[in-house]
Amino acid sequence: MNRRRLLLGAGGAGVLAALGGAAGTGYMMLSGSGDRPLALVYRGPAACAGCSEAVAALLRGAPSGFRTEFCGPGEQVALSADSLAGASVYAQPGGGDVRQAWRRLRGHAEEVRGFVHGGGNYLGFCLGAYLAGADPGFGLAGVGVEGYIYSAEATVHDQDDTVVGVDWRGRRRHMFFQDGALFRPKPGTPVTVLATYDSGGAAAVVTGYGSGRVGLVGPHPEADRSWYDDAGLTNPDGVRFDLGHDLIESTLRRD
């Protein structure tokens, strides 16, 4: 249908309006504000319009109260070992084709791996979750990562925007979905499954990598009302962000 038909997890144009103007205006002003933890959010050709802004808004609203900065080509902050060293979280939003995105990001693979292995946190939403896998990807996930719609047990069979039901910590909930990932825990790897699809396959997980943590979700808990309006969809739960906040806080938690 529109750009979401072509992109994994595109964000609504209304996100920008909600932020009060040009993309990024409200975020870069937060640099150095107080002692709130810093989350770097990728923005660039490996993400789609609105996705980075939606993830940043989710992080800012989380209980941990992040300040957020965008990183990537054309941003004031580059994606580098130096910029990651000052962050608590690196977030990879939704975007386009996995292999095309990987070609743009593979030059940063060692930097991202080093950040997480040394104790940093990686959050992957839709495409960002695919990129946590190993073929292709950063190789951060202690789980197999595959397309849910292509799995034998899938209840969604096309790439159209839709709303999927999940079991999130034992409660029936719904999220925006567009060709998101399914996770298969590997034997012997500690993995916390936060949510499952109706098929029983994992829809959101938290796992470890070195001293760091990795939180991944196939659907879009960051989707704001504009995503649903643009696609002509309704979330029966209403537009809420508590599931995304749970993913974030569960990733940060060191038990």
Side-chain angles (χ1 to χ4, degrees):
M1 70 182 257
N2 45 38
R3 55 194 172 158
R4 288 207 189 100
R5 221 21 212 105
L6 303 174
L7 298 172
L8 286 171
V15 173
L16 302 185
L19 292 174
T25 301
Y27 295 112
M28 298 306 297
M29 292 172 61
L30 290 173
S31 299
S33 56
D35 58 357
R36 289 179 291 164
L38 171 64
L40 289 183
V41 180
Y42 174 87
R43 184 167 66 179
C48 56
C51 289
S52 302
E53 291 80 7
V55 168
L58 184 73
L59 283 156
R60 290 180 65 192
S64 290
F66 288 93
R67 56 189 177 95
T68 61
E69 293 185 355
F70 295 116
C71 64
E75 299 296 333
Q76 295 182 35
V77 178
L79 175 54
S80 67
D82 286 343
S83 62
L84 288 167
S88 173
V89 165
Y90 171 69
Q92 191 71 51
D97 177 80
V98 176
R99 294 192 180 276
Q100 291 181 10
W102 179 242
R103 284 196 291 270
R104 298 179 182 277
L105 288 166
R106 61 189 176 190
H108 300 288
E110 291 304 318
E111 297 160 343
V112 173
R113 288 187 195 114
F115 165 70
V116 182
H117 195 275
N121 302 286
Y122 177 98
L123 291 171
F125 299 81
C126 196
L127 174 70
Y130 282 107
L131 288 170
D135 188 26
F138 296 117
L140 301 173
V143 295
V145 184
E146 62 187 72
Y148 174 62
I149 66 174
Y150 308 107
S151 64
E153 63 267 46
T155 57
V156 178
H157 302 285
D158 58 49
Q159 296 183 11
D160 291 342
D161 298 338
T162 190
V163 174
V164 294
V166 299
D167 183 328
W168 192 289
R169 294 190 185 273
R171 297 180 58 200
R172 180 70 172 174
R173 296 295 300 274
H174 299 82
M175 285 187 283
F176 191 99
F177 179 86
Q178 204 269 327
D179 199 7
L182 166 72
F183 310 105
R184 298 194 187 276
K186 298 177 181 178
T189 301
V191 175
T192 299
V193 176
L194 298 178
T196 58
Y197 294 107
D198 287 345
S199 65
V205 299
V206 176
T207 184
Y209 180 76
S211 298
R213 300 265 282 179
V214 179
L216 307 175
V217 60
H220 287 278
E222 79 279 19
D224 72 3
R225 186 171 301 280
S226 71
W227 294 39
Y228 294 94
D229 290 346
D230 289 352
L233 298 170
T234 300
N235 189 322
D237 306 329
V239 179
R240 299 165 60 183
F241 301 102
D242 57 315
L243 302 185
H245 294 162
D246 186 22
L247 173 72
I248 293 167
E249 300 301 324
S250 296
T251 303
L252 295 176
R253 190 176 301 124
R254 302 303 200 257
D255 297 326

